[in-house]
Amino acid sequence: MNDVQNSPDFRNITLDEAGIKDLQYPVTLLDRANEKQRTVAVISMSAELPHHFKGTHMSRFVEVLSRYTCEFDGSTIPAILAELKQVLDAESARMTVSFPYFLDKKAPVTGITAKMNYQCTFYGKSSPEGEDFVLGVTVPVSSLCPCSREISSYGAHNQRGHITIEVRSLPDEKGIPVLVWIEELIEIAESSASSPVYSVLKRPDEKYVTELAYDNPVFVEDMVRIAGERLMKDDRLTWFQVTAENQESIHNHTAYARFEWNRDGGN
Amino acid sequence: MNDVQNSPDFRNITLDEAGIKDLQYPVTLLDRANEKQRTVAVISMSAELPHHFKGTHMSRFVEVLSRYTCEFDGSTIPAILAELKQVLDAESARMTVSFPYFLDKKAPVTGITAKMNYQCTFYGKSSPEGEDFVLGVTVPVSSLCPCSREISSYGAHNQRGHITIEVRSLPDEKGIPVLVWIEELIEIAESSASSPVYSVLKRPDEKYVTELAYDNPVFVEDMVRIAGERLMKDDRLTWFQVTAENQESIHNHTAYARFEWNRDGGN
Amino acid sequence: MNDVQNSPDFRNITLDEAGIKDLQYPVTLLDRANEKQRTVAVISMSAELPHHFKGTHMSRFVEVLSRYTCEFDGSTIPAILAELKQVLDAESARMTVSFPYFLDKKAPVTGITAKMNYQCTFYGKSSPEGEDFVLGVTVPVSSLCPCSREISSYGAHNQRGHITIEVRSLPDEKGIPVLVWIEELIEIAESSASSPVYSVLKRPDEKYVTELAYDNPVFVEDMVRIAGERLMKDDRLTWFQVTAENQESIHNHTAYARFEWNRDGGN
Amino acid sequence: MNDVQNSPDFRNITLDEAGIKDLQYPVTLLDRANEKQRTVAVISMSAELPHHFKGTHMSRFVEVLSRYTCEFDGSTIPAILAELKQVLDAESARMTVSFPYFLDKKAPVTGITAKMNYQCTFYGKSSPEGEDFVLGVTVPVSSLCPCSREISSYGAHNQRGHITIEVRSLPDEKGIPVLVWIEELIEIAESSASSPVYSVLKRPDEKYVTELAYDNPVFVEDMVRIAGERLMKDDRLTWFQVTAENQESIHNHTAYARFEWNRDGGN
């Protein structure tokens, strides 16, 4: 059976990426509190396509992936990318894995516990320039407007917001990026907002978070700067980006702010 | 050229609907303040498929539609449905037209004006049981929690919400449903919430809406009941449904309430 | 602490629903092949709100839910609804649970296996009129156009489609609806299309599904009728609805068909 | 009334962006065939926030925007960005405008005409490094798999795909990027696929596009290379990126390819 993909191409164009996306797949991840967590990911995978090949072999992405999904830890993405480069005869490969991650979260006063979801992304790339890995976490929070509080005789508008933190960390002695826990980034994001949000709150909890938010008014700009200040002090990090978005309760559009930082200066 | 769709089918199954959906199309609508408004709609159209035909003629939906989009008023959907029934040899036809509608909205204190978007839907059906038409409008609003305000020493959580009102009105002497303006339903929804939302607010406006919301705390349940009470008094209406949703600022999920009403009792 | 929700309301309006939606939560389900399957659901829960109460107690929905998510089978939704009615002092309660469900699916020739996702929904309602339960499954398929094949000298346009089957089944002696497996509905949907789709296919598999699709051309109307014919013969079912949608490869819109059926006549 | 946003900030963090997003607004654009076209855009606008200011003035984005939407041409985005930098006392500003754009498109044999939608994006940035402008167009197309055609005895799987072309062009003598028409990029994308797609096709048209697609099999990789070859020859362009995605009809995931090019070498 003729291998059309493998036939030569004469246009002399090397493609940055050829691959698959929007593949839904169950994965098992590391969980700081419970050792392992099963969730459902949306995955994209690609490889560079050398100029002399007509097409990539799309089926090999899923074949490689399906051998790794039962145990997904810090060494998994580098292993998948290495295997992809080999089976596809490619100089570079990339992968993005996005998934909801759940924590058991206690209500602040009553201590009632329910699961709370955080959308996370692993991004990996392996190329002649080296290995790259980015961890991203999006954290829903509550934000209360400092301006509204200052100028109003009573009350202050507040709303649901989302803080996204993306980080790159230094490689360890094996060249694998030092582990940064999803849980650590969630903690930083939640403490940069007016208040965390919860899946379940009883009345004493609701009183607590209402007053906590009123006592901690922040703009999207503040949330980004507060998180940024803490992240800059983390010696493991070489790069990060913080984005905050507010589903404004006085508008039908979103307010946002973004800060990108590199350890070696510039941003 | 063989007409496969027109070939006989022997499974004796009449389909409720066969048609198209997710068709994006520019349309020109009636606008109470400016006579006409051009916007972009997402459209679905279908007809019953009699048991003896293998398939409907999908191209005819777009052919019929494209003759009507330049002037879309109360008589347009009945005219389209009548034409669809004829060209498709069908006993019933349906159509849904969803679009953002814009109003020039003044900030409450400074009077600064900007356009504000409201997502609307026209739904029409023509069948042996008669003509049906539903107008739906989704209105973004601000809602402030009565419980949070009551139990907290200061502040009160509030958030962006959406109130959706759908109505059926009595037919006029020509059998066409009495006109209910999109603008009327927007006004009812906005006055059922803690405060309207705006595209542009300066500081005096922000103070005003913050205090207005604090003075008018409502649950999603209240918003639905307040709008419902007003709609029940509107003699033009034979049926309505009100749904309110809050993008809770203390949770990562939505709170909602729904009320359906029929003039002739029951709901 | 004052219970505002519990305070009386004098507008005399009973709400059809008050509750929560868009709550993401991990759940463990029955799996025909592997006993259990963990996945992530999006959940809505609501209860009727009697006219004399100002608001429902939103936190109780999550409290009840979180006790049941570790083992979700046919008796779970009735148990949750019964508990909701009790803790919320409501006459009726509803619940929708939507989730991706995964099967190990073998490529048709090479037998290579990978997981394939199917979007499913459980809908339950408990009210004075009785218990209701609907199972819904959306199955991605391939469809090849009979008209295009007939009129073209070679080739035929085909595309990804989705068949959604929703069913109600008879109650067993305990009043719980007879179990219909997700896997059964997937099998019916896939055999109603031109060809199933797969997560991984090697070249011999690709040849097989290409020719299989060409040998089995179907309109969306055909897919709905083929599935409908089989479902009507299933003595367990009292009601079903089949919807087919094609992401048309010659258009930028969708073609669809829908058929609703009741055992006791009419549709 | 205190201007909280204007108060000093001592964290010494300059934010890359502070602004608004997801603002829906009607806009009037240049249209090559009809002079002007009204459509509805989703807009984001931001400015750099100097380290010494606590917050940006979010209302000014909408105030500036609302003066320009009635006539949006090549000079509009630079004018808006210049005004934003001034009123916000910022060194740089950015703006993204995304909208459906419609062409009257004739069926290839019968000549029947209907409107066809193309999703477009204008991206602009003004900073001390200079002015930047990117035009992006996403074009739905039909693609037929060369491998499937080669290995199958009859038929070939095909599907709806989307080709996205993004371009930067040389500045003219006034420093404004040379105009590249949306219509030009649509033409390139459509001729890089197996066949264009249409809003309305009669049977002779359907026969034509079916056979056209069978005669022009392309992988996503081919579509990107074919478009890339043509774009490289366009002397107006300094940079482009082409992405092709297929809604695979044999899979439930997407296949994609991407090629980025710079006139001055490298990519």
Side-chain angles (χ1 to χ4, degrees):
Chain A
M1 205 172 271
N2 193 359
D3 185 347
V4 182
Q5 283 85 345
N6 224 25
S7 63
D9 198 278
F10 302 104
R11 284 169 290 206
N12 201 30
I13 294 178
T14 291
L15 298 182
D16 300 84
E17 291 187 75
I20 62 171
K21 55 189 284 192
D22 301 333
L23 174 73
Q24 226 180 358
Y25 226 87
V27 291
T28 300
L29 303 163
L30 285 182
D31 177 320
R32 193 167 63 172
N34 304 301
E35 212 165 310
K36 285 184 184 177
Q37 175 167 154
R38 293 196 206 172
T39 186
V40 172
V42 175
I43 293 172
S44 71
M45 304 169 84
S46 71
E48 192 181 277
L49 181 66
H51 64 84
H52 51 277
F53 287 141
K54 180 170 171 66
T56 196
H57 290 85
M58 298 283 182
S59 62
R60 296 181 189 170
F61 292 106
V62 183
E63 286 182 278
V64 170
L65 173 71
S66 62
R67 284 198 295 278
Y68 286 92
T69 50
C70 295
E71 207 163 322
F72 216 92
D73 66 20
S75 62
T76 308
I77 287 186
I80 291 176
L81 295 177
E83 197 171 331
L84 284 179
K85 291 196 298 183
Q86 194 205 322
V87 299
L88 295 168
D89 199 2
E91 295 223 323
S92 71
R94 303 172 198 228
M95 182 173 191
T96 305
V97 183
S98 296
F99 53 90
Y101 185 80
F102 293 88
L103 293 188
D104 290 307
K105 194 162 179 185
K106 279 189 182 180
V109 178
T110 63
I112 291 179
T113 301
K115 292 196 182 288
M116 175 82 193
N117 61 310
Y118 302 90
Q119 193 64 29
C120 302
T121 302
F122 296 154
Y123 167 78
K125 182 180 174 187
S126 175
S127 73
E129 294 86 53
E131 305 298 303
D132 188 20
F133 180 78
V134 176
L135 167 65
V137 182
T138 295
V139 181
V141 296
S142 186
S143 75
L144 186 137
C145 178
C147 172
S148 172
R149 183 184 127 154
E150 172 74 18
I151 64 180
S152 304
S153 305
Y154 41 84
H157 77 81
N158 51 80
Q159 51 265 317
R160 195 191 297 164
H162 290 90
I163 299 176
T164 298
I165 302 178
E166 297 159 280
V167 301
R168 287 190 171 95
S169 60
L170 290 165
D172 65 13
E173 62 277 11
K174 290 182 206 160
I176 292 175
V178 173
L179 180 66
V180 177
W181 287 97
I182 290 169
E183 288 84 351
E184 294 178 88
L185 301 186
I186 292 172
E187 191 276 322
I188 289 172
E190 292 187 340
S191 60
S192 302
S194 296
S195 166
V197 304
Y198 297 84
S199 288
V200 65
L201 292 171
K202 305 303 290 183
R203 263 173 296 145
D205 304 309
E206 186 172 357
K207 173 181 166 60
Y208 176 86
V209 298
T210 300
E211 296 172 359
L212 179 68
Y214 195 84
D215 289 336
N216 291 283
V218 284
F219 291 127
V220 283
E221 295 94 326
D222 292 310
M223 294 196 282
V224 165
R225 281 169 167 158
I226 295 169
E229 276 202 309
R230 283 194 52 189
L231 291 163
M232 283 190 269
K233 290 177 190 149
D234 187 330
D235 289 338
R236 296 171 301 175
L237 305 185
T238 58
W239 171 92
F240 68 80
Q241 179 166 266
V242 185
T243 310
E245 298 190 4
N246 270 352
Q247 297 170 345
E248 293 287 291
S249 63
I250 60 171
H251 296 304
N252 198 26
H253 55 259
T254 300
Y256 78 102
R258 186 176 65 80
F259 173 50
E260 189 181 353
W261 177 87
N262 265 305
R263 178 159 299 283
D264 54 7
N267 70 332
Chain B
M1 206 172 269
N2 193 0
D3 185 348
V4 181
Q5 284 85 344
N6 224 24
S7 63
D9 197 279
F10 303 104
R11 283 168 291 204
N12 202 31
I13 293 178
T14 291
L15 298 182
D16 300 84
E17 292 187 75
I20 61 170
K21 55 188 286 192
D22 301 333
L23 175 72
Q24 225 180 358
Y25 225 87
V27 292
T28 300
L29 302 163
L30 285 182
D31 178 320
R32 194 167 63 173
N34 305 302
E35 215 166 310
K36 285 183 186 180
Q37 175 168 153
R38 294 195 205 172
T39 185
V40 173
V42 175
I43 293 172
S44 70
M45 306 170 82
S46 71
E48 192 180 275
L49 180 67
H51 63 84
H52 51 276
F53 287 140
K54 180 171 170 67
T56 198
H57 289 86
M58 298 285 182
S59 62
R60 296 183 189 169
F61 291 106
V62 182
E63 285 182 280
V64 171
L65 172 71
S66 62
R67 284 198 294 278
Y68 286 92
T69 50
C70 295
E71 205 161 325
F72 217 91
D73 66 19
S75 63
T76 308
I77 287 185
I80 291 175
L81 296 177
E83 197 172 332
L84 284 180
K85 290 197 298 182
Q86 194 206 320
V87 300
L88 295 169
D89 198 4
E91 295 223 323
S92 71
R94 305 174 197 227
M95 182 172 189
T96 304
V97 183
S98 296
F99 53 90
Y101 185 80
F102 293 88
L103 292 189
D104 290 308
K105 195 163 180 185
K106 277 190 183 179
V109 177
T110 63
I112 291 179
T113 301
K115 292 196 181 290
M116 174 83 192
N117 62 311
Y118 302 91
Q119 193 63 28
C120 302
T121 303
F122 296 154
Y123 166 79
K125 182 181 173 186
S126 175
S127 73
E129 294 86 54
E131 304 298 302
D132 188 21
F133 180 79
V134 176
L135 167 64
V137 181
T138 295
V139 181
V141 297
S142 185
S143 76
L144 184 137
C145 179
C147 172
S148 171
R149 184 184 125 152
E150 172 73 18
I151 63 181
S152 304
S153 306
Y154 41 85
H157 77 81
N158 51 80
Q159 51 266 317
R160 196 191 297 164
H162 290 90
I163 299 176
T164 298
I165 301 179
E166 295 159 282
V167 300
R168 286 189 171 95
S169 61
L170 289 165
D172 65 12
E173 61 277 9
K174 291 182 207 160
I176 291 176
V178 173
L179 180 65
V180 177
W181 288 97
I182 290 169
E183 289 84 350
E184 293 178 88
L185 302 186
I186 292 171
E187 191 277 320
I188 290 174
E190 291 187 340
S191 60
S192 302
S194 296
S195 167
V197 304
Y198 297 84
S199 288
V200 66
L201 292 172
K202 305 302 290 181
R203 264 172 297 145
D205 305 307
E206 186 172 357
K207 172 180 166 61
Y208 176 86
V209 298
T210 300
E211 295 171 359
L212 179 68
Y214 195 84
D215 289 336
N216 291 283
V218 285
F219 290 128
V220 282
E221 294 94 327
D222 292 310
M223 294 196 282
V224 165
R225 281 171 167 156
I226 294 167
E229 275 200 310
R230 284 193 53 188
L231 292 162
M232 282 190 270
K233 289 177 190 149
D234 187 330
D235 288 339
R236 298 170 300 174
L237 304 185
T238 58
W239 171 93
F240 68 79
Q241 179 167 266
V242 185
T243 309
E245 297 189 4
N246 271 351
Q247 298 169 345
E248 294 286 293
S249 63
I250 60 171
H251 296 304
N252 198 26
H253 55 259
T254 299
Y256 79 102
R258 185 177 64 80
F259 173 49
E260 188 180 352
W261 176 87
N262 266 304
R263 178 159 300 283
D264 55 7
N267 70 331
Chain C
M1 204 172 271
N2 193 359
D3 184 348
V4 182
Q5 283 85 345
N6 222 25
S7 64
D9 196 280
F10 303 103
R11 285 169 289 206
N12 201 31
I13 293 178
T14 291
L15 297 182
D16 300 84
E17 292 186 74
I20 62 170
K21 55 187 287 193
D22 301 333
L23 175 73
Q24 225 180 359
Y25 225 87
V27 292
T28 300
L29 302 163
L30 284 182
D31 178 318
R32 193 169 62 174
N34 305 303
E35 215 166 308
K36 286 185 185 178
Q37 175 167 153
R38 292 194 206 173
T39 184
V40 172
V42 175
I43 293 171
S44 71
M45 306 170 81
S46 72
E48 191 181 277
L49 180 67
H51 63 84
H52 50 276
F53 287 139
K54 181 170 170 65
T56 197
H57 290 84
M58 298 283 182
S59 63
R60 296 181 190 169
F61 292 106
V62 183
E63 286 181 280
V64 171
L65 173 71
S66 62
R67 284 199 295 277
Y68 286 91
T69 49
C70 296
E71 206 163 324
F72 217 91
D73 66 19
S75 63
T76 308
I77 287 185
I80 291 175
L81 295 177
E83 198 171 331
L84 284 179
K85 290 197 298 182
Q86 193 205 320
V87 300
L88 295 167
D89 200 3
E91 295 223 325
S92 72
R94 304 174 198 226
M95 181 171 191
T96 304
V97 183
S98 296
F99 54 90
Y101 186 80
F102 292 89
L103 292 189
D104 290 307
K105 195 162 179 185
K106 277 190 184 179
V109 177
T110 62
I112 291 179
T113 300
K115 291 197 182 289
M116 174 84 194
N117 62 310
Y118 301 90
Q119 192 63 27
C120 302
T121 303
F122 297 154
Y123 166 78
K125 182 181 174 186
S126 174
S127 73
E129 295 86 54
E131 305 297 303
D132 188 21
F133 181 79
V134 176
L135 167 65
V137 181
T138 295
V139 180
V141 297
S142 185
S143 76
L144 184 137
C145 178
C147 172
S148 172
R149 184 184 127 154
E150 172 72 19
I151 63 181
S152 304
S153 305
Y154 41 85
H157 77 81
N158 51 80
Q159 51 265 318
R160 196 192 297 164
H162 290 90
I163 299 176
T164 298
I165 302 178
E166 296 160 280
V167 300
R168 287 189 170 96
S169 61
L170 290 165
D172 65 13
E173 62 277 10
K174 291 181 205 160
I176 292 176
V178 173
L179 179 66
V180 177
W181 288 97
I182 290 169
E183 288 84 349
E184 293 179 87
L185 302 185
I186 291 172
E187 191 276 321
I188 290 173
E190 292 187 339
S191 59
S192 302
S194 296
S195 165
V197 305
Y198 297 84
S199 288
V200 64
L201 292 172
K202 305 303 289 181
R203 262 173 296 146
D205 304 308
E206 187 172 356
K207 172 180 167 61
Y208 176 86
V209 298
T210 300
E211 295 171 0
L212 179 68
Y214 195 83
D215 288 335
N216 291 283
V218 285
F219 290 127
V220 282
E221 295 93 327
D222 292 310
M223 293 196 282
V224 164
R225 282 172 166 156
I226 295 169
E229 275 202 309
R230 284 192 54 187
L231 291 162
M232 283 190 268
K233 290 178 191 149
D234 186 331
D235 289 338
R236 296 170 301 175
L237 304 185
T238 58
W239 172 92
F240 68 80
Q241 179 167 265
V242 185
T243 310
E245 297 189 4
N246 271 352
Q247 298 170 345
E248 293 287 290
S249 62
I250 60 172
H251 296 305
N252 198 26
H253 55 260
T254 300
Y256 79 102
R258 186 176 64 80
F259 173 50
E260 189 180 353
W261 177 87
N262 266 303
R263 179 160 299 285
D264 55 8
N267 68 333
Chain D
M1 204 172 271
N2 193 358
D3 185 349
V4 181
Q5 283 85 344
N6 223 24
S7 64
D9 197 279
F10 303 104
R11 283 169 291 206
N12 201 32
I13 294 178
T14 291
L15 297 182
D16 300 84
E17 292 186 74
I20 62 171
K21 55 189 285 191
D22 301 332
L23 175 73
Q24 225 179 359
Y25 226 86
V27 292
T28 300
L29 302 164
L30 285 181
D31 178 319
R32 193 169 61 174
N34 304 301
E35 214 165 310
K36 284 184 185 178
Q37 176 168 154
R38 293 195 206 172
T39 186
V40 173
V42 175
I43 292 171
S44 71
M45 305 170 82
S46 71
E48 191 180 275
L49 180 67
H51 63 84
H52 51 276
F53 287 140
K54 179 169 171 67
T56 196
H57 289 85
M58 298 284 182
S59 63
R60 296 181 190 170
F61 291 105
V62 183
E63 286 182 280
V64 171
L65 173 71
S66 62
R67 284 199 295 278
Y68 286 91
T69 51
C70 295
E71 206 164 321
F72 216 92
D73 65 18
S75 62
T76 309
I77 287 186
I80 291 176
L81 296 177
E83 197 171 331
L84 284 179
K85 290 196 299 182
Q86 193 205 320
V87 300
L88 295 167
D89 199 3
E91 296 223 323
S92 72
R94 304 173 199 228
M95 180 171 192
T96 304
V97 183
S98 296
F99 54 89
Y101 185 80
F102 293 88
L103 293 189
D104 291 307
K105 194 162 179 185
K106 277 191 183 176
V109 178
T110 63
I112 292 179
T113 301
K115 291 196 182 289
M116 175 84 194
N117 62 311
Y118 301 90
Q119 193 63 30
C120 302
T121 302
F122 296 154
Y123 166 79
K125 182 181 175 187
S126 175
S127 73
E129 293 87 52
E131 304 298 303
D132 188 21
F133 180 78
V134 176
L135 167 65
V137 181
T138 295
V139 181
V141 297
S142 185
S143 75
L144 185 137
C145 178
C147 172
S148 172
R149 184 184 126 153
E150 171 75 18
I151 63 180
S152 304
S153 306
Y154 41 86
H157 76 81
N158 52 81
Q159 50 265 318
R160 197 190 298 162
H162 290 89
I163 299 176
T164 299
I165 301 178
E166 296 160 280
V167 301
R168 286 188 171 97
S169 60
L170 290 166
D172 65 12
E173 62 278 12
K174 291 182 205 159
I176 292 176
V178 173
L179 180 65
V180 177
W181 287 97
I182 290 169
E183 288 83 351
E184 294 178 88
L185 301 186
I186 291 172
E187 191 276 320
I188 290 173
E190 292 187 339
S191 60
S192 303
S194 297
S195 166
V197 305
Y198 297 84
S199 288
V200 66
L201 291 172
K202 305 304 289 182
R203 262 171 297 145
D205 304 309
E206 187 172 357
K207 173 182 167 61
Y208 177 86
V209 298
T210 300
E211 296 171 359
L212 180 67
Y214 195 83
D215 289 335
N216 290 283
V218 284
F219 290 127
V220 283
E221 294 95 327
D222 292 310
M223 294 195 282
V224 165
R225 281 172 167 156
I226 295 169
E229 276 201 310
R230 284 194 53 190
L231 292 162
M232 282 191 269
K233 290 177 191 150
D234 187 330
D235 288 338
R236 297 170 300 174
L237 304 185
T238 58
W239 171 92
F240 67 79
Q241 180 167 264
V242 185
T243 310
E245 297 190 4
N246 270 351
Q247 297 169 346
E248 293 287 292
S249 63
I250 59 170
H251 297 304
N252 198 27
H253 55 260
T254 299
Y256 79 102
R258 186 176 65 80
F259 173 51
E260 189 180 354
W261 176 88
N262 266 303
R263 180 159 299 283
D264 54 7
N267 70 332

